[in-house]
């Protein structure tokens, strides 16, 4: 309903911009708004409805929605099926995969919509070797998670001696 009303209004505005005459409903509405007093009951009701709709749209714009969820890849035979994975859960699974790499003593993983950021502490082994093993482990685990869009990996390693 709202889409139809917005479409009619847009059509009328484009027609006026193109040099045609405004619709009779729009001319009558503009005349009514110009001649009614400000304290008219129906004008106050319309203003209250506009304020409530504006607040509702503002609340919808500020709420996160489904941003904390990662969409999963659907099987080929179930294209209309949808499933999601919580980002914190994915971060825990990826952290466990990082901790299984030899030489890593601690890891922190943050999963975004497009990137997985991993910070790991290396106690022993060469950093280049650990980076290669960690990249391989995280890529394998990301494939097993079956997210719809494979995230990029950002890996930061630091050598810890204590």
């Amino acid at each position: 309903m709202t889409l139809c009303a917005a479409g009619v209004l847009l059509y009328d505005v484009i027609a006026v911009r193109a040099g045609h005459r405004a619709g009779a409903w729009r001319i009558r509405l503009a005349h009514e708004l110009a001649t009614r007093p400000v304290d008219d009951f129906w004008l106050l009701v319309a203003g209250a409805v506009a304020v409530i709709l504006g607040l509702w749209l503002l609340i919808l714009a500020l709420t996160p929605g489904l941003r904390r969820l990662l969409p999963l890849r659907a099987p080929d035979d179930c294209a209309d099926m949808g499933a999601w994975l919580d980002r914190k859960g994915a971060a825990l699974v990826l952290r466990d995969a990082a901790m299984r790499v030899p030489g890593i003593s601690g890891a922190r993983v943050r999963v975004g919509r497009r990137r997985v950021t991993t910070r790991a502490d290396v106690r022993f082994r060469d950093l280049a070797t650990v980076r290669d093993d960690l990249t391989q482990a995280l890529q394998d685990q990301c494939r097993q998670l079956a997210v719809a869009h494979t995230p990029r990996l950002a890996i930061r390693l630091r050598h810890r001696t204590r």
Side-chain angles (χ1 to χ4, degrees), residues 45-72:
V45 168
V49 169
V51 167
I52 290 171
L53 283 175
L55 286 174
W56 179 249
L57 289 175
L58 189 63
I59 288 169
L60 287 177
L62 295 177
T63 53
L66 299 177
R67 293 179 60 95
R68 70 179 188 277
L69 300 176
L70 292 173
L72 297 179

Side-chain angles (χ1 to χ4, degrees), residues 4 7 18 20 23 34-35 37 44 49 59 77 87 94 96 100 103 106 109 122 134 136 147 150 157 159 161-162:
C4 291
H20 298 287
T35 58
L44 293 175
V49 169
I59 288 169
D77 57 339
R87 280 200 233 177
L94 291 171
D96 290 343
R100 286 192 294 269
V109 177
V122 179
L134 182 59
Q136 186 63 41
V147 292
T150 306
L157 300 176
H159 202 69
T161 55
R162 288 189 222 168

Side-chain angles (χ1 to χ4, degrees), residues 81-161:
M81 184 174 72
W84 293 271
L85 176 65
D86 185 50
R87 280 200 233 177
K88 288 182 182 179
L92 286 173
V93 169
L94 291 171
R95 184 187 63 84
D96 290 343
M99 291 299 291
R100 286 192 294 269
V101 174
I104 291 183
S105 62
R108 290 168 305 283
V109 177
R110 198 181 103 237
V111 177
R113 291 188 307 166
R114 291 187 169 88
R115 182 183 349 205
V116 172
T117 304
T118 305
R119 297 175 188 263
D121 298 331
V122 179
R123 293 283 182 170
F124 60 92
R125 291 181 71 197
D126 182 42
L127 287 178
T129 307
V130 172
R131 180 181 300 278
D132 292 341
D133 291 348
L134 182 59
T135 302
Q136 186 63 41
L138 291 177
Q139 285 175 345
D140 291 343
Q141 192 64 49
C142 282
R143 273 192 294 278
Q144 287 180 4
L145 287 176
V147 292
H149 306 288
T150 306
R152 290 186 299 139
L153 294 177
I155 298 174
R156 292 186 178 87
L157 300 176
R158 63 180 174 180
H159 202 69
R160 301 289 286 208
T161 55

Side-chain angles (χ1 to χ4, degrees), residues 23-34:
W25 63 272
R26 198 167 135 199
I27 293 171
R28 182 166 186 255
L29 179 65
H31 177 70
E32 288 290 329
L33 289 174

